[in-house]
Each structure stands twice: as structure tokens, then as C-alpha cells.
């Protein structure tokens, strides 16, 4: 990468200016993926905080499992919860906009109109926790070390940078390749900045319980390996006066205690050794909380306005038995969500009908003219239903019988060449019995699979559940060595380059991606490209809805369920702001009532 000395860059800029070709741009306090930032220059605070929240007290939280590394930037090792508050990025994301970043370590930015480059002008007040100033050299060092040794997705993104130029001790410019560059200024803006150091460069890839030097609002105060980590509020944090930090990071100390399983963590909460916990179990949420020693736990349900994760049974279409759409449709009819929700999930969930559920990005109703125009070049590979029907999942009366649905499933399997032979569904041509292995690493999934198995048995399909350890499970996913798994894909209100990692043809044949179903469609690739290069919000929404329609019509998964609420149990002294963000709530927004 080119790195021009400061005087040479000045001469180049002067030459371009004299030629009428200056690349200078207006300096901004924020950058939005599309449209204008919600918050103006010199705004006071985010709307979802309590700017008058008192400072003080200790917040005790729980985590499950263990940790063995204090380097959160590596794939190797498991980092503890809360470590993100030790570091700061160039720009800070707001949580009540689809994707907008505000000045943070970078005080101002300049961005090319075509997003081909961005210049970060650093805040001269920005400091690492040891008091040393943050410079452009630190930014360059962080970029290079994360590109070379960081997490795979980070490395992939950072490879799109074509040049990095230090323009002055407090200014640095990044340039991007054309492919997918519209999002790249924001991705680089989210980069955490580490201090340039030869020792860090040498030891970066070593898993260690020695914390890296950060520049955030908290410091690592004490570590009990694998069991506990304590963070202390940094009174000397350079960024306390920034508007995005008002009303946040209010506790003097935050403690994460690690427990071997969630039941033990729940008991720790009930005995008031833990102050708050997010609940993921519908059974526990409805029955495990109540009065304790005359004090009632609070059960708060902040609303979520993000796309709900697509939690689903996933078919591996690389296997011949799942390559036939009719088979995937038949198995979708065999899953009785209404019974599962009523009898296992306490009726607390809604059925997922979109890869972008609970958001304006979801494809609802019949196809629009704009979506049709995007997909019309691919009519040869797409089903006609994409263009003339809205997607609908089968529904039952919740009785568990689902006779009509099973009858529909039988007809689809018959059309796909299957017959019942000696009580077993068998492919007429190959003579192979239809057998399914559900691969899991989470015992909780058994309760979802078991009622499904009963309906599969009525269709003559043999199935078994194989539970394996996390490492073995990940290895099999990496190699796509499974029949059916239960997986979850998270989404944002501003999807981008990550969609290629989820659904592209290249990802389908590359080990270790998240295209677990093995989707291989030119239409999908085209919609991903359209999303990644969208220059305005309307284009992004249209392309995302078109992608959603294609994915749904292929029946690559059996969608399960979602909730548009967070389930937060907390003791009365832990207070929350009244207005949730799109992301709901989080510990950085809370405060302790005793300090009011």
C-alpha cells in the first residue's frame, strides 16, 4: 500500500487543486449508509438514553461457559462478555437508525461522493487508557494487524481497501476497490483502534489473559480465568463529553460471573447474586420468576425494531434427497408450528415468514413492479410463484393432527418419486429409503425436533437426532456434512456485503461460509450485488425484498419463530430508559437507583 510522506501528499494535493482536480470534500460529523443522519452536528445525546442517569454502583451479570482470551479480535480463543467497552472505534453507531455512524475517535470525516475513499480527521483529545494520544499511525497499525490476523470476516472486508495514506499525524485516508465499496467507509469507521506497538504486532495472535490497551470507558480491573471478570469505569476516559456517551456507561463496576449452565445462573439471579439477565427460554420466562423474600423481580419487555433472526430447520440441498423442491415443501407441511407454539413455547412466539421478519425489508403480499423488474431477467431459473403469488407457510389448527397438511405432504412426495415400501418411504427409482439425521449441539432443540419426528414417521420417514460437542459440530458445518440443522441468521436494517457470505453461489462451494442450504442461483447473486451497491434506501429495500422472495420460494429452510421483544429480568434497583432503541436495551444504558 502507498504511504506518502506528509510533505509529498501536500504537494500532490496542491497540484490537483491547481489543475481544478482537488479531491477535497466537506467535513462531516456523521455518515449514513443512505439518506441523512438523524442527529445534527453538536447534538446533545441519543434519544434512547437517560442523559441524567446517575453514576455509580455495581452491576452484576452472568455468562455461561468460560473464557480463555482477552483478545476479542481473534477467532482463536473465547473472549469474556463486556470486553467491547474497553475499546473505541473511529466512529460510533447509533441504535435508532438503520446504519449511521457519528464522530468518535475521528472528530470529522470527508467522504467521496461515490464512496471510493474516506478521510478520518482524528480528535486531538482522543487518548488510550495509558494517556498516550491516538494518532493516524495507530489507525494504520490497527488496520494492518486486523487485516492480516483478525477475524475472517474482517480480513475479507479489509482486503477491499486499495490504499491507505497518512496525510498528517491526525488524518488518514482509505481508498476502496469498486466492488461493494458503498458500504466500506462505514465498515472501516467501525474499526477499533489499538496502539501501534512492535510487541503487540509480535504477540497479537497469541491467546492471552493480559488485556490489550484500549481507549474506551472501562478498564479490565480483575480477571479470574474462566470464572469472573471485573471492569472498572475509567474516570479519565477522554470521551465522556461526547454526545453519544451521555447517559451511558453509568456503573462504577461491571462484574460478569461465569456459570456452568443457565439453570445455575438463574438461581444466582433469584438469590440476588446477579442483578439482571436476558431470558431466552419461554418456559422460564412464564414460570421461573416471581416473589422472592417479599421483593418482586421486574420483567421488562423492551420492543425490538430490528429484523428478527431467521431461526429455522435448514435443508442441505447438496444432498440428493433435499435437492428436489417438492421434498422440501413436503417436509415444511409436516412441521406443525401451531402445536409447538401452544404446547412447548407457551404461545409466546410468532411464526417467521421472512428472512427479514419484523422489518420494512420483509417481502409481504404480491410482488411489486420494482421487484418484478429486478427479477424478470431470471424467469428461466425462478418459479412462477415468485411473480404471481405471495409466500405462505402452511397453518394447522394446533391439535397436533395436521391431517390436511400431511395429506398435502404425501402428494408432494408421491410427485417426487417416493412410495411407501414395507412401511418406509422409499425412492421408487433408486430404492433408497428416506432417512434424516438432525445434527445439533444444543439439547434445547430436541423439544422442537421430537414432535416433528412424529409427523415424519407418519409419512414413512425415518429420522434420528445426533447431538455432538461444539467443536465437532462446527467442523461438520464448515464441511457442510449434515442433513438438517437448526440455524439462525441475524440481519440488520441495512444489509450489505455479508449477504454474499450467506447466500451466494461462491459461498455454497466454499467451506466455512453461512450458506448452509447450498443455495446456487444467479438471481440471488444479482440481488446481493444490487443490495451491496444500492445508492439510496429505496433501491436497497426493493432489492432486499426481491432477495427475500427468491429465498422463501426455494423452501431452503423451514422457518420457526421469533419475538419482537427482549425478555429482561432485573431487580428493582436496576433502572432502564423509557424509550428503547431499535436494538431494545442493553447494560450500557442502565443505572442503579441507589445513586439517584
Amino acid at each position: 500500500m502507498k504511504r506518502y510522506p506528509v510533505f509529498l501528499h501536500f504537494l500532490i494535493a496542491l497540484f490537483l487543486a491547481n489543475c481544478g482536480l482537488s479531491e477535497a470534500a466537506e467535513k462531516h460529523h456523521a455518515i449514513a449508509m443512505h439518506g441523512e443522519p438523524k442527529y445534527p452536528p453538536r447534538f446533545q445525546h441519543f434519544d434512547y438514553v437517560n442523559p441524567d442517569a446517575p453514576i455509580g454502583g455495581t452491576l452484576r451479570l452472568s455468562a455461561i461457559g468460560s473464557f480463555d482470551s482477552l483478545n476479542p479480535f481473534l477467532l482463536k480463543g473465547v473472549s469474556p462478555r463486556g470486553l467491547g467497552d474497553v475499546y473505541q472505534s473511529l466512529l460510533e453507531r447509533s441504535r435508532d437508525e438503520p446504519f449511521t455512524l457519528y464522530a468518535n475517535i475521528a472528530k470529522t470525516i470527508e467522504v467521496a461522493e461515490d464512496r471510493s475513499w474516506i478521510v478520518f480527521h482524528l480528535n486531538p483529545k482522543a487518548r488510550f487508557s495509558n494517556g498516550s494520544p491516538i494518532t493516524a499511525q495507530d489507525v494504520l497499525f490497527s488496520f494492518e494487524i486486523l487485516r492480516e490476523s483478525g477475524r475472517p470476516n474482517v480480513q475479507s472486508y479489509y482486503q477491499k481497501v486499495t490504499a491507505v495514506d497518512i496525510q498528517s499525524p491526525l488524518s488518514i485516508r482509505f481508498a476502496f476497490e469498486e466492488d461493494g465499496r458503498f458500504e466500506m467507509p462505514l465498515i472501516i469507521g467501525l474499526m477499533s483502534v489499538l496502539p501501534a506497538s512492535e510487541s503487540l504486532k509480535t504477540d497479537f495472535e497469541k491467546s492471552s489473559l493480559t488485556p490489550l490497551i484500549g481507549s474506551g470507558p472501562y478498564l479490565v480491573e480483575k480477571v479470574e480465568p474462566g470464572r469472573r471478570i471485573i471492569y472498572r469505569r475509567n474516570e479519565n476516559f477522554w470521551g465522556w463529553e461526547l454526545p453519544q456517551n451521555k447517559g451511558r456507561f453509568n456503573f462504577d463496576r461491571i462484574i460478569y460471573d461465569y456459570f456452568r449452565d443457565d439453570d445455575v445462573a438463574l438461581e444466582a439471579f433469584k438469590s440476588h447474586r446477579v442483578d439482571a439477565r436476558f431470558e431466552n427460554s419461554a418456559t422460564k420466562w412464564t414460570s421461573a420468576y416471581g416473589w422472592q423474600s417479599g421483593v418482586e423481580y421486574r420483567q421488562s419487555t423492551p420492543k425490538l425494531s430490528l429484523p428478527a433472526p431467521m431461526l429455522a430447520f435448514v435443508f442441505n440441498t447438496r444432498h440428493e434427497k433435499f435437492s428436489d423442491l417438492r421434498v422440501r415443501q413436503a417436509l415444511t407441511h409436516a412441521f406443525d408450528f401451531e402445536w409447538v407454539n401452544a404446547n412447548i413455547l407457551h404461545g409466546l412466539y410468532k411464526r417467521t415468514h421472512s428472512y427479514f421478519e419484523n422489518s420494512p425489508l420483509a417481502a409481504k403480499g404480491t410482488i411489486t413492479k420494482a421487484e418484478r423488474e429486478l427479477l424478470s431477467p431470471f424467469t428461466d431459473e425462478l418459479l412462477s410463484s415468485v411473480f404471481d403469488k405471495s409466500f405462505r407457510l402452511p397453518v394447522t389448527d394446533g391439535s397436533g393432527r395436521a391431517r390436511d397438511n400431511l395429506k398435502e405432504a404425501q402428494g408432494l412426495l408421491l410427485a417426487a418419486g417416493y412410495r411407501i415400501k414395507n412401511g418406509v418411504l422409499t425412492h421408487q427409482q433408486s430404492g433408497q429409503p428416506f432417512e434424516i439425521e438432525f445434527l445439533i449441539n444444543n439439547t434445547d432443540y430436541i423439544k422442537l425436533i421430537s414432535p416433528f419426528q412424529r409427523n415424519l414417521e407418519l409419512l414413512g420417514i425415518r429420522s434420528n437426532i445426533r447431538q455432538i460437542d461444539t467443536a465437532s459440530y462446527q467442523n461438520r458445518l464448515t464441511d457442510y456434512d449434515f442433513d438438517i440443522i437448526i440455524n439462525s441468521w441475524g440481519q440488520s436494517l441495512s444489509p450489505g456485503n455479508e449477504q454474499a457470505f450467506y447466500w451466494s453461489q461462491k459461498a455454497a462451494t466454499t467451506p466455512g461460509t453461512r450458506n448452509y442450504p447450498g443455495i446456487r442461483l444467479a438471481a440471488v447473486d444479482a440481488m446481493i450485488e444490487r443490495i451491496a451497491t444500492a445508492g439510496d434506501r429505496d433501491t436497497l429495500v426493493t432489492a432486499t425484498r426481491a432477495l427475500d422472495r427468491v429465498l422463501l420460494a426455494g423452501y431452503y429452510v423451514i422457518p420457526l419463530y421469533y419475538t419482537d421483544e427482549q425478555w429482561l429480568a432485573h431487580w428493582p434497583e436496576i433502572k432502564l430508559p423509557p424509550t428503547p432503541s431499535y436494538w431494545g436495551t442493553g447494560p450500557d444504558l442502565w443505572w442503579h437507583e441507589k445513586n439517584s
Side-chain angles (χ1 to χ4, degrees), residues 146-162:
L146 293 172
R147 183 192 59 188
E148 294 167 9
S149 305
R151 293 177 173 272
N153 61 325
V154 171
Q155 293 185 41
S156 176
Y157 282 134
Y158 289 8
Q159 293 300 327
K160 295 179 180 292
V161 176
T162 57

Side-chain angles (χ1 to χ4, degrees), residues 176-461:
F176 312 108
E177 65 182 34
E178 186 172 357
D179 183 30
R181 72 185 180 196
F182 198 78
E183 190 180 20
M184 282 305 299
L186 287 89
I187 290 174
I188 293 296
L190 288 173
M191 179 176 68
S192 295
V193 180
L194 303 170
S197 160
E198 282 301 318
S199 60
L200 178 57
K201 187 174 183 179
T202 301
D203 298 334
F204 185 76
E205 294 188 54
K206 297 179 182 178
S207 182
S208 171
L209 288 172
T210 300
L212 307 177
I213 294 175
S215 59
Y218 283 92
L219 303 169
V220 176
E221 180 176 77
K222 183 178 180 181
V223 177
E224 297 178 26
R227 295 179 52 209
R228 167 183 280 198
I229 185 166
I230 301 175
Y231 299 97
R232 172 172 56 84
R233 192 174 188 267
N234 183 6
E235 295 298 332
N236 296 318
F237 171 47
W238 65 272
W240 286 128
E241 297 306 315
L242 296 180
Q244 62 263 28
N245 296 323
K246 295 291 180 65
R248 299 175 63 200
F249 313 116
N250 302 309
F251 296 97
D252 284 334
R253 279 177 175 77
I254 300 178
I255 300 173
Y256 283 92
D257 281 313
Y258 277 73
F259 298 88
R260 65 177 183 271
D261 61 48
D262 192 64
D263 289 336
V264 178
L266 173 60
E267 291 307 312
F269 170 78
K270 293 171 72 173
S271 62
H272 210 172
R273 289 185 289 128
V274 169
D275 295 312
R277 58 179 260 124
F278 287 104
E279 183 58 73
N280 297 313
S281 166
T283 299
K284 290 177 182 175
W285 186 246
T286 56
S287 61
Y289 299 91
W291 287 88
Q292 179 77 12
S293 302
V295 180
E296 187 179 11
Y297 317 128
R298 300 290 189 264
Q299 287 181 267
S300 297
T301 54
K303 283 289 184 180
L304 294 166
S305 301
L306 292 175
M310 168 57 89
L311 177 68
F313 288 109
V314 183
F315 300 114
N316 188 353
T317 65
R318 301 171 186 85
H319 292 187
E320 182 65 27
K321 59 191 169 189
F322 297 125
S323 64
D324 192 316
L325 172 67
R326 294 167 295 188
V327 170
R328 303 195 298 270
Q329 289 175 318
L331 299 187
T332 300
H333 277 78
F335 180 71
D336 190 342
F337 166 76
E338 285 70 28
W339 186 91
V340 169
N341 193 33
N343 293 275
I344 296 176
L345 304 176
H346 302 271
L348 294 180
Y349 289 96
K350 303 174 184 179
R351 187 76 190 268
T352 303
H353 290 88
S354 166
Y355 285 80
F356 301 88
E357 187 64 76
N358 193 46
S359 82
L361 301 172
K364 301 293 185 182
T366 55
I367 192 168
T368 65
K369 180 181 178 181
E371 293 165 27
R372 184 184 296 275
E373 289 176 354
L374 287 182
L375 295 176
S376 58
F378 307 98
T379 52
D380 289 346
E381 73 171 4
L382 296 178
L383 297 169
S384 60
S385 61
V386 173
F387 299 94
D388 57 30
K389 294 180 181 178
S390 58
F391 181 78
R392 290 285 185 272
L393 286 168
V395 178
T396 73
D397 61 5
S399 65
R401 293 186 289 272
R403 292 191 182 95
D404 291 341
N405 283 19
L406 291 177
K407 185 177 180 180
E408 181 74 18
Q410 286 174 328
L412 288 164
L413 292 169
L414 183 67
Y418 286 92
R419 301 291 185 275
I420 297 292
K421 184 177 180 180
N422 298 324
V424 177
L425 188 70
T426 305
H427 195 271
Q428 201 169 23
Q429 187 174 2
S430 68
Q432 291 294 315
F434 202 127
E435 298 176 342
I436 296 173
E437 178 183 88
F438 293 91
L439 186 69
I440 65 170
N441 71 335
N442 186 336
T443 305
D444 290 343
Y445 288 154
I446 294 176
K447 64 186 179 183
L448 298 176
I449 299 171
S450 295
F452 190 19
Q453 286 182 296
R454 291 194 292 270
N455 280 351
L456 293 177
E457 187 176 355
L458 293 174
L459 295 173
I461 297 174

